[in-house]
Amino acid sequence: MVVSTQLPVAVPRSGFLPGPAINARQMWANNRFWMETQNLVTKRYGGKRKQHWYALLLAVKAFEWGLKRCGQYERGWRNATRIVLRDVELRFDRLPRAFDGFSVLHITDPHLDGQPGIEDRIVELCRGREFDLCVLTGDYRTELHGPIRAVMASLEKVVRGIRSKEGFLGVLGNHDDCHMVAPMEEMGIRMLINESVVLTRGGDRLRVLGTDDVHYYYTDQSLHALEAARDDFSIALVHSPELFDAAAEAGVALYLCGHTHGGQVCLPGGIPIITHLNRGRRFVRGVWQHQGMRGVTHCGTGTSGIPVRFNTRGEILVHHLRSKAAAQK
Ligand SMILES: [Fe+2]
């Protein structure tokens, strides 16, 4: 059962004629659309600046050309298509007993327009399994601007092909735009735009909260969303690990993110060359701990920039939540 807990709307005080409530989603969408169209990047501690993509695109093209010249492009492409599904067990002291064994399918960074047919590979890997919940932590497309219809059609194939008892929860990444929210909700994904929902089992509660992307589109609304974590055992969905300290301080128990692709193109031993993180670079991949909070940085399902991987692997994760108390009985 899902109990929706939308952010409060601002209603005029008495003494004034009641006017239309200010909708937090609409405020967010206006601001997000403005940032997207102006190519603005906002960071938690870094202010606001115009992003010029030419240098980055040129570097990506040069790297692609170099890979083809030295005959490594095909190998990198094959590596990128070898996506695996991995089960991860996560133990918690204070997990509500009714959620012991709760399974969370975690897909992130599929970049569905980056590799033809990747949506079919995702469905194939999940075939024959049923999950308690499916969470999506952003970057559904590769392009930063432009049409979304083809990507949304691919995403709908994924949603239709996966069995999830509590349905689908999602957040946006830095490659996604605000126009994706409506079609994603129409296909059955409950989008958490600085919002949270509560799942209940008997008298036990588990809260899942989600923020907008904080890598390009940080606003203080993401911190407000984290404040709900104090009330329950809470899972935070954030596109990147860059909000780790605020989430731990807010009392989040589990932080699920992606964005880094585990480095995507790494040196032998999985040493990343680029992490695409402004903060929290030590959380580039895998399971980690920060103060009382557990975190998982997913290596990403797809690829960004060039559809190749070296010394990393695309993945789909299934997190199994376990109660330490139940295990000791
Ligand atoms: Fe990203």
Side-chain angles (χ1 to χ4, degrees), residues 109 111 138-139 173-175 213 215 239-240 258-261 276 304:
D109 303 83
H111 295 283
D139 277 5
N174 58 307
H175 284 246
D213 165 60
H215 185 66
H239 177 58
S240 78
H259 173 69
T260 64
H261 296 208
H276 287 291
S304 184

